[in-house]
Amino acid sequence: MGGGVRSSTGGGRSRARASRLRRRSRPDRYVLYEAAVQSVEHDLDFCERVYRRHRGRSFHLLREDFCGTAALAGAWVIRDPANRAWGVDADRGPLVWAARQRLPRLGAAGRRLVLERRDVRSRTRPRVDVVTALNFSYWVFLRRPELIEYFAAARRSLRPDGMLVANAFGGTEAMDVGSERRRVGASTSVAGDRVPGFTYEWEQVAFNPIDHRLRCHIHFRLRDGSRLLRAFRYDWRLWTVPEIREAMAEAGFRASEVYVEGWDDERNRSTQQYRLRTRCENQASWLAFIVGVS
Ligand SMILES: C[S@@+](CC[C@H](N)C(=O)[O-])C[C@H]1O[C@@H](n2cnc3c(N)ncnc32)[C@H](O)[C@@H]1O
C-alpha cells in the first residue's frame, strides 16, 4: 500500500513537472501578440513611403508610442545604421520583456533603441521625424480633451517636418459585439524560438452607442489544446475618422490625411495597399492610417 502511495505521489510529481515544462515551453502572450497582430515591416514601409512623398527624403528618428514590446522600434533600428528609435510605454511589464527578449537580439543596433517608461502625453527630447500610435492604442483616451492633449504632446515632440502616424478601424461591424477567429501560421519569435501555428481571436464584448465605449478581448488557442483567454483586454473609445482629424487639427497639425486599406472582393482579402482617399465606400470593416502632418 505504501508503495502504491509513493508511486502515485511520484507520478503526480512527474506529471506536475511535465505540465510545468510544457507551460514553460509554450510561447508567452507577447510572443503570440507579435505573431498575430503586428506587421511591423509593412507599417515601417508605409511610414517611409508617406514621409518621402511629403518631404522628398528619408527619415531616421522614430518614436513608437504605446510601444509595448517595442517590435516596431526594434525593426526600425535594424533597417539602417543611421536609424534611432525611442519606445514609450506606461507599463513596466512589456518594457522589461523588450529589454530581455528584444534588445539582446538587436546586437549593436540595440544601442540605438531607447525604452522609456512614461505616459505618452509627456513631452520628450530629442524631437523625432515620425511618431507612431498604432493598433488603435490611442483609443485608450476616452474623452476629447485627453485625445487632443496626446496629439499636442506628439506634435511638440516632432521636428518641423515631422509626422504622426496613427491608425483606425471602422465599418458597419465596428459597433457590433461578436468575434472573429484567424489561424496564424508557424513563425519564429524575437528570441529565435519556433512558434507553432495557433488561433487568434478578436472579440468585441460590448459597445455603448451613447459614449462609443468599446470593450474588446484577445484570446489565443494553442495547438496543444491550451487557451489564453482574455490575454489582452481593451477598454477603448471607438473614435471616428472626422473626430480624429479634428482633434489633430486642434492639437496644431497643419493637415491630416487618410490612407484606406484596399480590399480584393474576389479573393475576399486585403490587398495590403493603403491609398490616400477623401471618399470611400463604407464596408463591414475597414482599416486606415491617419497621418498628422506638422
Ligand atoms: C495594444 S498595446 C500596443 C502594442 C504595440 N505597440 C502595437 O502596436 O500593437 C497598447 C500599449 O499602450 C500602453 N499604454 C496605454 N496607455 C498609455 C499611456 N497613457 N502612456 C503610455 N503607454 C500607454 C499599454 O501599457 C500597452 O502596452
Side-chain angles (χ1 to χ4, degrees):
M1 196 181 157
V5 170
R6 266 200 306 277
S7 129
S8 132
T9 310
R13 268 198 206 128
S14 60
R15 269 197 303 279
R17 188 165 168 272
S19 136
R20 259 201 316 277
L21 284 174
R22 258 202 317 278
R23 261 204 310 278
R24 232 181 271 157
S25 62
R26 253 179 233 149
D28 71 30
R29 64 187 189 129
Y30 293 123
V31 167
L32 299 171
Y33 179 91
E34 288 195 353
V37 177
Q38 296 192 273
S39 311
V40 294
E41 297 302 334
H42 175 267
D43 292 341
L44 291 175
D45 288 347
F46 175 81
C47 293
E48 293 208 289
R49 173 163 75 85
V50 173
Y51 191 93
R52 185 173 289 282
R53 187 174 156 265
H54 277 273
R55 311 299 183 209
R57 59 184 165 83
S58 53
F59 72 92
H60 295 293
L61 309 185
L62 175 132
R63 189 176 93 195
E64 182 186 9
D65 278 350
F66 310 96
C67 70
T69 58
L72 190 87
W76 182 244
V77 294
I78 46 181
R79 268 196 177 203
D80 185 325
N83 288 354
R84 295 177 66 198
W86 289 260
V88 177
D89 201 286
D91 187 358
R92 190 171 171 274
L95 293 176
V96 167
W97 189 98
R100 290 193 185 143
Q101 310 274 331
R102 175 154 277 109
L103 284 183
R105 295 276 152 176
L106 291 174
R111 287 200 286 276
R112 291 181 278 109
L113 167 58
V114 179
L115 299 173
E116 293 178 296
R117 185 182 174 204
R118 60 177 182 77
D119 193 296
V120 292
R121 286 167 292 183
S122 51
R123 195 178 61 171
T124 48
R125 289 292 177 266
R127 290 177 195 262
V128 295
D129 301 306
V130 170
V131 171
T132 60
L134 295 182
N135 286 318
F136 331 107
S137 305
Y138 64 101
W139 288 6
V140 71
F141 299 126
L142 303 176
R143 293 171 50 251
R144 197 165 180 274
E146 294 171 340
L147 184 66
I148 294 171
E149 186 189 355
Y150 167 58
F151 285 162
R155 196 190 60 80
R156 283 196 301 270
S157 309
L158 287 169
R159 298 167 104 190
D161 281 352
M163 286 175 196
L164 168 65
V165 178
N167 60 0
F169 69 82
T172 53
E173 282 174 0
M175 296 181 191
D176 260 349
V177 293
S179 72
E180 195 182 288
R181 289 185 188 185
R182 175 163 52 84
R183 290 283 309 148
V184 179
S187 58
T188 305
S189 75
V190 65
D193 299 322
R194 185 174 177 277
V195 183
F198 61 93
T199 300
Y200 158 85
E201 180 176 349
W202 172 254
E203 183 185 11
Q204 298 193 175
V205 182
F207 174 72
N208 179 356
I210 306 291
D211 58 12
H212 268 222
R213 288 281 277 275
L214 177 66
R215 281 197 301 113
C216 309
H217 295 156
I218 288 178
H219 313 289
F220 299 113
R221 289 178 171 74
L222 308 188
R223 282 244 175 97
D224 66 4
S226 61
R227 301 178 304 175
L228 277 80
L229 298 182
R230 293 181 290 282
F232 294 95
R233 301 166 190 228
Y234 304 104
D235 180 4
W236 282 340
R237 166 145 172 197
L238 179 70
W239 290 97
T240 65
V241 172
E243 287 171 330
I244 295 163
R245 299 183 76 193
E246 283 163 15
M248 283 183 175
E250 202 147 317
F253 283 94
R254 192 171 48 77
S256 63
E257 296 176 332
V258 182
Y259 294 79
V260 183
E261 183 187 38
W263 192 258
D264 183 333
D265 279 332
E266 266 169 36
R267 293 183 176 167
N268 195 30
R269 66 173 193 216
S270 160
T271 61
Q272 305 275 338
Q273 301 284 325
Y274 283 77
R275 295 208 189 291
L276 182 59
R277 300 266 188 227
T278 52
R279 299 183 65 84
C280 80
E281 200 184 312
N282 199 18
Q283 296 155 4
S285 72
W286 50 256
L287 280 172
F289 281 109
I290 305 181
V291 178
V293 183
S294 60

